[in-house]
Amino acid sequence: MNQYLIAANSKKGQLIFNIFRPLDLVIIGVGTVITFIAFVAVQPEELASGILVLLPFLVCAFLVLPVANYHNMLCVIQNIYKFFTEND
């Protein structure tokens, strides 16, 4: 008789801001710090060098970007990798 109904979004309560895992915040933080250090060291004057300096932040932001039915792109990439490597 002890049957409980669990909400469909119960997993979101374990996430920070209902979107991010602690690892996601570490990833975006590291990308931000690397980009800041690169801006201070390089001081880009052209658009191309500015984009190259922004690249660490852009890659990290892409990885933690929220996607429907997943936490973020990092989870999607991990699931795709598992699908192709664990299916024999």
Side-chain angles (χ1 to χ4, degrees):
M1 185 81 190
N2 292 325
Q3 295 179 353
Y4 300 99
L5 180 62
I6 298 173
N9 62 353
S10 63
K11 183 104 177 161
K12 285 192 169 196
Q14 299 172 352
L15 303 174
I16 300 168
F17 303 123
N18 291 331
I19 299 173
F20 303 109
R21 298 175 295 174
L23 175 64
D24 302 331
L25 296 179
V26 169
I27 289 172
I28 197 70
V30 168
T32 303
V33 168
I34 290 172
T35 300
F36 180 75
I37 291 171
F39 262 117
V40 170
V42 175
Q43 296 180 355
E45 296 178 2
E46 297 176 2
L47 180 62
S49 59
I51 292 173
L52 285 176
V53 169
L54 276 175
L55 207 54
F57 175 76
L58 295 175
V59 168
C60 292
F62 173 75
L63 289 175
V64 300
L65 182 75
V67 178
N69 301 323
Y70 292 94
H71 300 298
N72 51 40
M73 286 302 295
L74 182 60
C75 291
V76 173
I77 293 169
Q78 287 173 342
N79 287 337
I80 291 170
Y81 177 77
K82 286 179 185 176
F83 176 78
F84 285 112
T85 58
E86 293 178 2
N87 272 349
D88 293 324

